[in-house]
Each structure stands twice: as C-alpha cells, then as structure tokens.
Amino acid sequence: MAEAKHGNQPITINETVGKKAYCTCGHSMILPYCDGAHSKMQTGLSPIVVEITNPGQRAVCQCHRSECMPWCDGIHSKL
Ligand code: FES
C-alpha cells in the first residue's frame, strides 16, 4: 500500500468541457488527471470526478489539503 504523494504547488491548466477525473493520490503520470495509479498502488484513494461546464483556467490542488478540492484554495502556501 502506497502513501499519497503531495505536491507543494497547484497545476494550472486550461480546462475543457466534459467529465474529468482529478488525481488525489499524486502518483498519476498524467497529473492533474487520474490514470488509475491509485488502484495499482493500493493507495485506498479515489479521483475526484467533476463535470466541467465552463471551460477556462483552473488551478488544481496538488497538496491535497484544499477545502475546495479539486481546486486550489491557497492552503499550500501556509503549510
Ligand atoms: S491516479 Fe491518483 S487518484 Fe487515480
């Protein structure tokens, strides 16, 4: 069983419309999206699935401590 890998900065993307699965374990090779690594590494975690209806820039939390996951709320700068 692997521990979650936490980043110290969000990943900023230009998000498109559609259903997206954002990684919460930090082991995905296609961050900020889930690639199934959470399951293979037995992290016990799951991605956060969001239906994006408004395309545009998003900051996706990588420290996994935001109170508005999967989006960054700035908490990484206080850790
Ligand atoms: S690969 Fe990290 S949550 Fe799926």
Side-chain angles (χ1 to χ4, degrees):
M1 187 161 175
E3 299 287 318
K5 195 165 86 181
H6 304 292
N8 55 16
Q9 289 186 49
I11 295 176
T12 302
I13 53 172
N14 275 316
E15 192 55 280
T16 56
V17 169
K19 189 182 274 189
K20 310 297 165 93
Y22 297 100
C23 176
T24 60
C25 76
H27 293 286
S28 173
M29 298 300 286
I30 57 167
L31 288 173
Y33 304 106
C34 171
D35 69 356
H38 66 275
S39 181
K40 289 179 210 140
M41 300 183 78
Q42 300 180 316
T43 62
L45 298 168
S46 302
I48 295 175
V49 178
V50 178
E51 182 77 38
I52 303 292
T53 55
N54 295 317
Q57 194 170 63
R58 303 282 198 292
V60 184
C61 176
Q62 298 302 297
C63 73
H64 309 126
R65 289 173 175 82
S66 171
E67 289 189 13
C68 58
M69 288 288 287
W71 315 126
C72 174
D73 68 358
I75 192 71
H76 64 276
S77 63
K78 299 178 183 125
L79 298 175

